[in-house]
Amino acid sequence: MKTEEHVIPLGVILAVFLLILLGFSWLGVKEVEASERSIRSLGIFKITWYCPCRKCSGKWDHQTSSGAYATEGRTVAVDKHVIKEGTHLLINGHEYIAEDTGGGVRGNHIDIFNEFHTMCLDDAHGEKYWEVFIIE
């Protein structure tokens, strides 16, 4: 019975060695030391979604109350009496920034921005209740 030899190209070996030696920082990935940032639970929040359409945002489109441009994957609307603008939040494993306040966002309610209205409809995401963490 003949066994097959598997040869790993030297370039692959060197690339893996450099990744281990230098880390992933040259790819733009930053490892966060546990001492640099910590998370603290804010409790369970009602989570909904909004988009730049007139039904969701009125005349405001991508303009947020903080002056930032609303961006999918980053912007959330919060009740400023519960969470201050600029706060970094961890929601369902994803980091967001509180950059907006919404007319219908009161108390423990967060509205996550996305680009398309179909994602705001009940059959797409619906209303969720997730634990929210503040990143300090």
Side-chain angles (χ1 to χ4, degrees):
M1 181 181 279
K2 185 178 178 184
T3 60
E4 294 183 30
E5 282 188 30
H6 295 285
V7 178
I8 300 172
L10 182 59
V12 172
I13 294 171
L14 288 174
V16 170
F17 176 75
L18 286 173
L19 282 173
I20 293 168
L21 183 66
L22 300 175
F24 290 88
S25 60
W26 64 278
L27 291 173
V29 177
K30 182 178 183 284
E31 291 182 19
V32 178
E33 295 291 327
S35 61
E36 284 185 51
R37 295 168 53 172
S38 62
I39 61 171
R40 177 175 46 90
S41 177
L42 295 176
I44 303 296
F45 280 66
K46 174 182 173 181
I47 307 294
T48 55
W49 286 261
Y50 75 110
C51 74
C53 81
R54 283 207 174 271
K55 183 176 181 182
C56 290
S57 297
K59 64 180 181 178
W60 301 107
D61 190 49
H62 284 84
Q63 184 179 349
T64 66
S65 59
S66 68
Y69 184 85
T71 304
E72 185 172 336
R74 184 189 75 205
T75 303
V76 295
V78 299
D79 181 339
K80 64 183 177 183
H81 300 292
V82 177
I83 299 170
K84 69 179 185 171
E85 283 185 352
T87 300
H88 288 246
L89 302 168
L90 185 64
I91 304 169
N92 200 31
H94 186 85
E95 184 175 349
Y96 295 94
I97 303 173
E99 297 180 319
D100 206 0
T101 56
V105 179
R106 297 286 178 259
N108 285 13
H109 177 192
I110 293 176
D111 221 3
I112 298 176
F113 180 83
N114 64 73
E115 287 294 333
F116 302 103
H117 187 72
T118 54
M119 298 303 288
C120 302
L121 302 174
D122 287 343
D123 60 343
H125 280 306
E127 187 177 285
K128 307 287 185 193
Y129 289 86
W130 289 332
E131 186 169 14
V132 173
F133 298 88
I134 187 169
I135 301 172
E136 301 176 308

